[in-house]
Amino acid sequence: MRDGAKAVSRSRASAGEQPNHSPTGSKPDPGLYLVSTPIGNLDDITLRALKLLAAADCIACEDTRVSGRLLSLLGIRPTALTPYHEHNAERARPALLARLHQGQVVALISDAGTPLLSDPGYRLVRACLAEGLPVSSLPGASAALTGLQLSGLPCDRFLFAGFLPVKTAARRSQLGELAAVPGSLIFYESPRRLAATLTDMAAVLGPRDAAVARELTKLYEEVRRGSLAELAAHYAAAGPPKGEVVLVVGPPGPAAVAGPDELDHRLTEALAELSPRDAAAAVAAATGLPKRQVYARAILLAKSR
Ligand code: SAM
């Protein structure tokens, strides 16, 4: 956060000020509001979101039918509901910016969860910032954080990686880029591709713990935990799960985080006592790195001795 922005947050908090859509507020201040909506359980809408959506001059959403249904269930009849999705964003953005320049209150919501997270909105926020228009966030449900919380995997450091490429080669290559990230990894994935993605992850990321979180906040919420290989085998046999899924993968072993020097150091020590095969097996078990990768390195080191 920039210093100026920090200063604004602090002064608001110290003055006990509330944004204008507080219970006592009347019309919210003009600007763009990024409003999170539930990811399944309607009760997860926030009080702020209810008030802001009821007061907005315009609600931009991905699919007007989906959001129309949600708003109706929430008892909100919007003044204007306008589509803003990946196929019309370039065309629709100027009209939203014009409304904002006129001093209107514009809310952005997605079909479910937090806008901008694997959903449209980033370019609209950029445009508002470039044009000096106010942007505010009303936080709420997000499948990524809910899945992370329930995964049983470390939450202190994580990387949200969104959707992986659909084609295997591109997917494996992107997983390779993420392999050394020293934290948990969070992915969105289609149930149809889940087994193939888990298989690629086991091959590229090695024997890590993982969790598949399905139908979060809904009636059939379920979290299946295991190693990547176990989960890949389960979904290959059981077929695609029903509903929506978040995939969380635990952090790599210490050698991968420390880098190739650390791996060489461990292997050199092990090779002083063991054959390349046994040294590789021991180091792979200790670090969580893929056996094949460690064995290939062990052979090279053994030859150069
Ligand atoms: N912006 C949304 C958010 O904050 O969670 C995510 C939108 S993204 C287009 C949709 C993906 O989120 C789904 O394919 C699935 O991976 C995940 N997702 C959404 N709702 C979910 C739920 N209730 N349970 C599990 N995953 C969910």
PDB file of all heavy atoms in Angstrom, residues 287-302:
ATOM      1  N   THR A 287      13.111 -34.598   1.146  1.00  0.00           N
ATOM      2  CA  THR A 287      12.792 -33.267   0.617  1.00  0.00           C
ATOM      3  C   THR A 287      11.421 -33.177  -0.034  1.00  0.00           C
ATOM      4  O   THR A 287      10.911 -32.074  -0.240  1.00  0.00           O
ATOM      5  CB  THR A 287      13.822 -32.852  -0.458  1.00  0.00           C
ATOM      6  OG1 THR A 287      13.754 -33.814  -1.529  1.00  0.00           O
ATOM      7  CG2 THR A 287      15.223 -32.783   0.112  1.00  0.00           C
ATOM      8  N   GLY A 288      10.867 -34.322  -0.391  1.00  0.00           N
ATOM      9  CA  GLY A 288       9.581 -34.270  -1.101  1.00  0.00           C
ATOM     10  C   GLY A 288       9.753 -34.008  -2.585  1.00  0.00           C
ATOM     11  O   GLY A 288       8.777 -33.839  -3.315  1.00  0.00           O
ATOM     12  N   LEU A 289      10.997 -33.968  -3.066  1.00  0.00           N
ATOM     13  CA  LEU A 289      11.222 -33.747  -4.508  1.00  0.00           C
ATOM     14  C   LEU A 289      10.935 -35.038  -5.276  1.00  0.00           C
ATOM     15  O   LEU A 289      11.082 -36.135  -4.730  1.00  0.00           O
ATOM     16  CB  LEU A 289      12.682 -33.332  -4.745  1.00  0.00           C
ATOM     17  CG  LEU A 289      13.022 -31.892  -4.385  1.00  0.00           C
ATOM     18  CD1 LEU A 289      14.527 -31.685  -4.403  1.00  0.00           C
ATOM     19  CD2 LEU A 289      12.359 -30.934  -5.362  1.00  0.00           C
ATOM     20  N   PRO A 290      10.545 -34.922  -6.564  1.00  0.00           N
ATOM     21  CA  PRO A 290      10.259 -36.120  -7.352  1.00  0.00           C
ATOM     22  C   PRO A 290      11.490 -37.031  -7.441  1.00  0.00           C
ATOM     23  O   PRO A 290      12.594 -36.555  -7.717  1.00  0.00           O
ATOM     24  CB  PRO A 290       9.892 -35.572  -8.731  1.00  0.00           C
ATOM     25  CG  PRO A 290       9.556 -34.144  -8.506  1.00  0.00           C
ATOM     26  CD  PRO A 290      10.304 -33.687  -7.304  1.00  0.00           C
ATOM     27  N   LYS A 291      11.296 -38.370  -7.209  1.00  0.00           N
ATOM     28  CA  LYS A 291      12.403 -39.330  -7.186  1.00  0.00           C
ATOM     29  C   LYS A 291      13.214 -39.288  -8.478  1.00  0.00           C
ATOM     30  O   LYS A 291      14.444 -39.330  -8.466  1.00  0.00           O
ATOM     31  CB  LYS A 291      11.849 -40.742  -7.002  1.00  0.00           C
ATOM     32  CG  LYS A 291      11.885 -41.222  -5.583  1.00  0.00           C
ATOM     33  CD  LYS A 291      11.500 -42.680  -5.517  1.00  0.00           C
ATOM     34  CE  LYS A 291      10.924 -42.962  -4.138  1.00  0.00           C
ATOM     35  NZ  LYS A 291       9.914 -43.961  -4.090  1.00  0.00           N
ATOM     36  N   ARG A 292      12.471 -39.215  -9.616  1.00  0.00           N
ATOM     37  CA  ARG A 292      13.165 -39.293 -10.912  1.00  0.00           C
ATOM     38  C   ARG A 292      14.138 -38.116 -11.074  1.00  0.00           C
ATOM     39  O   ARG A 292      15.254 -38.252 -11.539  1.00  0.00           O
ATOM     40  CB  ARG A 292      12.137 -39.287 -12.050  1.00  0.00           C
ATOM     41  CG  ARG A 292      12.601 -40.164 -13.211  1.00  0.00           C
ATOM     42  CD  ARG A 292      11.616 -40.141 -14.338  1.00  0.00           C
ATOM     43  NE  ARG A 292      10.271 -40.531 -13.923  1.00  0.00           N
ATOM     44  CZ  ARG A 292       9.180 -40.230 -14.604  1.00  0.00           C
ATOM     45  NH1 ARG A 292       9.253 -39.537 -15.700  1.00  0.00           N
ATOM     46  NH2 ARG A 292       7.995 -40.633 -14.199  1.00  0.00           N
ATOM     47  N   GLN A 293      13.652 -36.925 -10.655  1.00  0.00           N
ATOM     48  CA  GLN A 293      14.481 -35.709 -10.761  1.00  0.00           C
ATOM     49  C   GLN A 293      15.728 -35.828  -9.868  1.00  0.00           C
ATOM     50  O   GLN A 293      16.853 -35.503 -10.287  1.00  0.00           O
ATOM     51  CB  GLN A 293      13.629 -34.510 -10.324  1.00  0.00           C
ATOM     52  CG  GLN A 293      14.350 -33.187 -10.349  1.00  0.00           C
ATOM     53  CD  GLN A 293      13.539 -32.101  -9.612  1.00  0.00           C
ATOM     54  OE1 GLN A 293      12.324 -32.173  -9.518  1.00  0.00           O
ATOM     55  NE2 GLN A 293      14.244 -31.111  -9.098  1.00  0.00           N
ATOM     56  N   VAL A 294      15.551 -36.344  -8.659  1.00  0.00           N
ATOM     57  CA  VAL A 294      16.672 -36.453  -7.721  1.00  0.00           C
ATOM     58  C   VAL A 294      17.659 -37.522  -8.213  1.00  0.00           C
ATOM     59  O   VAL A 294      18.878 -37.334  -8.153  1.00  0.00           O
ATOM     60  CB  VAL A 294      16.162 -36.791  -6.298  1.00  0.00           C
ATOM     61  CG1 VAL A 294      17.328 -36.898  -5.320  1.00  0.00           C
ATOM     62  CG2 VAL A 294      15.189 -35.725  -5.825  1.00  0.00           C
ATOM     63  N   TYR A 295      17.122 -38.615  -8.764  1.00  0.00           N
ATOM     64  CA  TYR A 295      17.987 -39.704  -9.256  1.00  0.00           C
ATOM     65  C   TYR A 295      18.844 -39.207 -10.424  1.00  0.00           C
ATOM     66  O   TYR A 295      20.057 -39.472 -10.495  1.00  0.00           O
ATOM     67  CB  TYR A 295      17.130 -40.900  -9.671  1.00  0.00           C
ATOM     68  CG  TYR A 295      17.955 -42.080 -10.149  1.00  0.00           C
ATOM     69  CD1 TYR A 295      18.880 -42.692  -9.306  1.00  0.00           C
ATOM     70  CD2 TYR A 295      17.840 -42.565 -11.443  1.00  0.00           C
ATOM     71  CE1 TYR A 295      19.649 -43.754  -9.734  1.00  0.00           C
ATOM     72  CE2 TYR A 295      18.607 -43.636 -11.886  1.00  0.00           C
ATOM     73  CZ  TYR A 295      19.515 -44.219 -11.029  1.00  0.00           C
ATOM     74  OH  TYR A 295      20.276 -45.264 -11.465  1.00  0.00           O
ATOM     75  N   ALA A 296      18.231 -38.437 -11.329  1.00  0.00           N
ATOM     76  CA  ALA A 296      18.975 -37.915 -12.486  1.00  0.00           C
ATOM     77  C   ALA A 296      20.145 -37.046 -12.013  1.00  0.00           C
ATOM     78  O   ALA A 296      21.265 -37.122 -12.524  1.00  0.00           O
ATOM     79  CB  ALA A 296      18.048 -37.109 -13.384  1.00  0.00           C
ATOM     80  N   ARG A 297      19.892 -36.249 -10.998  1.00  0.00           N
ATOM     81  CA  ARG A 297      20.941 -35.366 -10.458  1.00  0.00           C
ATOM     82  C   ARG A 297      22.014 -36.200  -9.734  1.00  0.00           C
ATOM     83  O   ARG A 297      23.213 -35.906  -9.832  1.00  0.00           O
ATOM     84  CB  ARG A 297      20.286 -34.370  -9.491  1.00  0.00           C
ATOM     85  CG  ARG A 297      21.187 -33.271  -9.026  1.00  0.00           C
ATOM     86  CD  ARG A 297      21.518 -32.279 -10.120  1.00  0.00           C
ATOM     87  NE  ARG A 297      22.674 -31.482  -9.765  1.00  0.00           N
ATOM     88  CZ  ARG A 297      23.519 -30.933 -10.626  1.00  0.00           C
ATOM     89  NH1 ARG A 297      23.336 -31.075 -11.926  1.00  0.00           N
ATOM     90  NH2 ARG A 297      24.546 -30.235 -10.222  1.00  0.00           N
ATOM     91  N   ALA A 298      21.578 -37.250  -9.039  1.00  0.00           N
ATOM     92  CA  ALA A 298      22.518 -38.110  -8.304  1.00  0.00           C
ATOM     93  C   ALA A 298      23.481 -38.784  -9.275  1.00  0.00           C
ATOM     94  O   ALA A 298      24.687 -38.885  -9.008  1.00  0.00           O
ATOM     95  CB  ALA A 298      21.748 -39.157  -7.495  1.00  0.00           C
ATOM     96  N   ILE A 299      22.966 -39.237 -10.424  1.00  0.00           N
ATOM     97  CA  ILE A 299      23.810 -39.899 -11.425  1.00  0.00           C
ATOM     98  C   ILE A 299      24.878 -38.917 -11.921  1.00  0.00           C
ATOM     99  O   ILE A 299      26.066 -39.246 -12.012  1.00  0.00           O
ATOM    100  CB  ILE A 299      22.954 -40.381 -12.630  1.00  0.00           C
ATOM    101  CG1 ILE A 299      21.992 -41.485 -12.180  1.00  0.00           C
ATOM    102  CG2 ILE A 299      23.793 -40.834 -13.805  1.00  0.00           C
ATOM    103  CD1 ILE A 299      22.680 -42.808 -11.895  1.00  0.00           C
ATOM    104  N   LEU A 300      24.456 -37.694 -12.233  1.00  0.00           N
ATOM    105  CA  LEU A 300      25.398 -36.672 -12.723  1.00  0.00           C
ATOM    106  C   LEU A 300      26.491 -36.392 -11.693  1.00  0.00           C
ATOM    107  O   LEU A 300      27.678 -36.336 -12.021  1.00  0.00           O
ATOM    108  CB  LEU A 300      24.656 -35.367 -13.017  1.00  0.00           C
ATOM    109  CG  LEU A 300      23.967 -35.259 -14.369  1.00  0.00           C
ATOM    110  CD1 LEU A 300      23.235 -33.923 -14.466  1.00  0.00           C
ATOM    111  CD2 LEU A 300      25.009 -35.359 -15.490  1.00  0.00           C
ATOM    112  N   LEU A 301      26.065 -36.215 -10.440  1.00  0.00           N
ATOM    113  CA  LEU A 301      27.040 -35.916  -9.382  1.00  0.00           C
ATOM    114  C   LEU A 301      27.994 -37.097  -9.173  1.00  0.00           C
ATOM    115  O   LEU A 301      29.201 -36.899  -8.993  1.00  0.00           O
ATOM    116  CB  LEU A 301      26.315 -35.593  -8.074  1.00  0.00           C
ATOM    117  CG  LEU A 301      25.586 -34.245  -8.017  1.00  0.00           C
ATOM    118  CD1 LEU A 301      24.858 -34.092  -6.687  1.00  0.00           C
ATOM    119  CD2 LEU A 301      26.571 -33.090  -8.188  1.00  0.00           C
ATOM    120  N   ALA A 302      27.443 -38.319  -9.228  1.00  0.00           N
ATOM    121  CA  ALA A 302      28.280 -39.506  -9.014  1.00  0.00           C
ATOM    122  C   ALA A 302      29.336 -39.609 -10.118  1.00  0.00           C
ATOM    123  O   ALA A 302      30.496 -39.942  -9.856  1.00  0.00           O
ATOM    124  CB  ALA A 302      27.408 -40.756  -8.972  1.00  0.00           C
TER     125      ALA A 302
END
